[in-house]
Amino acid sequence: MEKKEHIISILVYNKPDVLARIAGTLGGKGYNIESLSVNTTTQYEISKIVMTSIGNQATISRIENQLQRLVDVISVEDLTNVESVHREMALVRLNLTPDKKDQIKKAVDDNQWKVIVSNDNYVILEITGDKAQLDLAMARLEPLGIADITRTGLVALELKN
Amino acid sequence: MKLKGSQILLKMLEEEKVDLIFGYPGGAVLDIYDQLYKSKIKHILVRHEQGAVHAADGYARATGRVGVCLVTSGPGATNTVTGIATANMDSIPIVVFTGQVPTTLIGNDAFQESDITGITRPCTKHNFLVRSVEELAATIKEAFHIARSGRPGPVLVDLPKNVMAAETEFAPADIKIRNYDVAHKPVPKKLAQVFEMLNHAKRPLLMTGGGVILGRAAGELSELARKYKIPVTGTLMGLGSFPGTDPLWLGMLGMHGTYHANMAVSHCDLLIAVGVRFDDRVTGTIETFAPNAQIVQIDIDPSSINRNVVVELPIIGETKATLKDLLQFLAEHKYIPAQEARQEWLGEIALWKEKVPLTYCQNGEIIKPQYVIETLHKVTNGDVIVTTEVGQNQMWTAQFFKFDKPNTFITSGGLGTMGYGLPAAIGVKCALPGKQVVDIAGDGSIQMNIQELATAAQYNIAVKVVLLNNGFLGMVRQWQELFYEKRYSHTDMTYAPDFVKLAEAFGVVGMRITKPGEVEEALRKAFAIDKPVLMDFRVSREECVYPMVRPGESLADMDLGTREMIN
């Protein structure tokens, strides 16, 4: 069976150790979490966790079953199999060194990257997009000299309920 | 009504109809023990917290009710971990209450502080740290509900000392909890598939597991087997879910299963597995497990399905309700097994049984452990609840004691916890004082929780310990004999206490039996005494458990151990 990245959306009760339960269950059973994103929903007592994991369909089904066993898990859905939109975000600091300064400013203009902080020494960019867009941006940022970077986990939403 | 946390705890235990707690006091639970002093709930003081959990576990396995224990914080709590993991692996409903340092000290490395909810997260079904007295009552109710609903399991509730001392309004009627029940969905389409599969099968086989006992489905399983003449094998946890004396019973399958059970699994064309999880000790090499069979798996827990063995037809549901539906479907659609093919299949199994029966050779002046177990069955007519320790004693019991009823064989199957049997037997005897309860033990295992003899003596809990004393960690020694050229690295237990004197020192009756001719009389004598008794049977030192599927082999390739059988 083909191995690929699956996006798993989990609704949970917003309890103090629910993330530890999920991470512990997956870690303890030998499954790897590639990316993770957690926040509350419109209801404070319910959180949504979006995680990605690489595996074949059988492995992913086992992960879903293990998560379903947890008392604080309300529902688990593999968004890979339904139509959904995906976004990630990166915050990137580029140092405006004399040799790169012009190159950076041109690249920011050309790519229409969103600048959220700018001063004489550096710029901080906010890059949002799906995985392919982020990967493309990273490839273009690389030669400019990334001073620091933070990337979120992937978030996803199914097109219709 | 304003009540303190410790009072609410006991009120809620009464609400849950808890009549018995196994426990051990300490600083963090002083408030609770002060309430217990005035309570009608009986408390058994164990001698080690691990014993408390195993006793609660034994109580639960024998009665189907939730077992309860209470221990203090820190080491009291960490001592419960092996017991909790044991219950978790076998899906046993228990609730473990642990004391905790006051909430204001949590995280400070306070005296006797341990992050017990963190430690037990992977080995409980669920756990709670109660942060305020307002959430206490609902948490306790939730804990009991979670422990016994769906696929049962252990739940731990951590109780900080200040929460036990704090006061709040208490109104039990207002307590609401979330609903976790696994709904049993009717599956007519799947039942029709089973019907079709049964119609086409020439060699059907039932495989029963712990889920049949936990789901109280033994009656339905037996009806299915007997009505349609389907032979039955079972896992260690399934023993007792189908009568061991029924001709359709093939015995346990797997590593130390019977030859005919393993051959039947290897040759069947339809395997209906109920309440099993296809543990590695059961399947042998996965690739060659039931190679000719279509497999139907009935289980309450979706995570048990397609985990180890990929099955053709999974049915998720309670074992009892599903088997009931299946029986009804088969009756309505007038399923009649093809007589000739079925006779041929049963005949084939009978030939395997004849070719390699379960056997041993009791001659000479040395007691064979299997003989003790068979004699125990004879003396008690099988009307006894048996717990075991882990190792050879456990496997010989599984092989040679014919369990006819569910909840009568109580053993640590998944985790394989040495030291389980004695405290579990104490728990069983406390739950069912009118029953004879026997712990079949080895000399290694018994020493792991032997302090519980004091508990048995203090309350006159009249359990009988059948100690099969071979002076070895027998199962490990067996593997060293077979796979490590008899290099008996640290398995010789000849240096041991005088078990008879030790029993007597605890206030337990001690007996030593050294000759085959004394076995039956000793057992009869022990059962006539209304006190705990330890019988030290000196048995053949290097007896092996046979037959055996060597690790990495198929069930069909059993090591029959003929050398051992004839000497």
Side-chain angles (χ1 to χ4, degrees), chain A residues 13 15 20-21 62 69 71, chain B residues 121 127 178 180 303 306:
Chain A
Y13 288 102
K15 293 288 175 75
R21 287 182 201 282
R62 282 187 205 118
R69 286 186 69 184
V71 166
Chain B
R121 217 178 273 131
N127 61 23
R178 290 177 273 156
Y180 306 95
S303 77
N306 285 340

Side-chain angles (χ1 to χ4, degrees), chain B residues 206-474:
Chain B
L206 270 164
M207 174 177 169
T208 177
V212 173
I213 293 172
L214 290 165
R216 298 181 172 88
E220 287 75 10
L221 183 107
S222 299
E223 190 183 338
L224 180 65
R226 284 170 168 166
K227 195 165 174 187
Y228 300 113
K229 296 268 172 297
I230 307 170
V232 189
T233 181
T235 66
L236 184 71
M237 298 309 297
L239 297 184
S241 60
F242 185 77
T245 48
D246 191 294
L248 286 167
W249 174 246
L250 311 185
M252 184 171 75
L253 79 163
M255 182 171 274
H256 289 297
T258 64
Y259 177 74
H260 56 294
N262 281 343
M263 292 304 275
V265 174
S266 303
H267 290 83
C268 68
D269 60 1
L270 174 62
L271 183 65
I272 302 177
V274 191
V276 307
R277 58 185 176 89
F278 297 110
D279 170 81
D280 57 283
R281 286 293 193 268
V282 156
T283 59
T285 319
I286 288 278
E287 294 73 32
T288 54
F289 177 76
N292 307 305
Q294 288 195 298
I295 303 179
V296 177
Q297 186 183 359
I298 300 170
D299 203 277
I300 196 166
D301 181 0
S303 77
S304 290
I305 288 178
N306 285 340
R307 186 170 174 190
N308 302 326
V309 170
V310 177
V311 303
E312 275 69 27
L313 181 61
I315 303 179
I316 295 160
E318 291 169 18
T319 47
K320 190 182 186 79
T322 308
L323 287 175
K324 256 191 181 160
D325 288 357
L326 178 61
L327 280 166
Q328 198 183 339
F329 191 96
L330 295 178
E332 277 169 11
H333 292 78
K334 303 196 167 34
Y335 167 62
I336 299 165
Q339 283 299 324
E340 209 172 306
R342 189 60 51 86
Q343 282 315 319
E344 213 172 286
W345 174 225
L346 293 173
E348 211 171 338
I349 293 172
L351 283 179
W352 285 320
K353 186 175 178 181
E354 203 182 327
K355 185 180 159 198
V356 186
L358 265 187
T359 186
Y360 63 94
C361 186
Q362 178 60 67
N363 57 14
E365 281 305 292
I366 300 164
I367 302 172
K368 286 294 173 84
Q370 302 96 322
Y371 174 68
V372 178
I373 293 167
E374 282 202 329
T375 310
L376 173 68
H377 190 274
K378 182 181 152 192
V379 165
T380 59
N381 269 328
D383 184 20
V384 60
I385 299 180
V386 176
T387 73
T388 73
E389 304 288 341
V390 166
Q392 289 184 317
N393 60 79
Q394 182 184 34
M395 288 300 109
W396 282 319
T397 305
Q399 289 181 331
F400 287 94
F401 201 96
K402 307 294 175 216
F403 293 95
D404 276 335
K405 288 183 186 147
N407 310 94
T408 59
F409 177 53
I410 288 166
T411 196
S412 167
L415 197 65
T417 307
M418 289 172 72
Y420 172 79
L422 175 58
I426 288 172
V428 175
K429 185 72 181 171
C430 288
L432 304 167
K435 284 274 174 195
Q436 291 284 8
V437 182
V438 180
D439 170 31
I440 298 180
D443 50 304
S445 293
I446 194 69
Q447 291 184 67
M448 282 209 183
N449 270 322
I450 197 148
Q451 77 286 347
E452 298 309 329
L453 285 178
T455 309
Q458 180 184 341
Y459 299 94
N460 196 29
I461 303 163
V463 297
K464 315 297 174 196
V465 179
V466 169
L467 175 57
L468 303 173
N469 185 351
N470 59 10
F472 272 117
L473 296 176

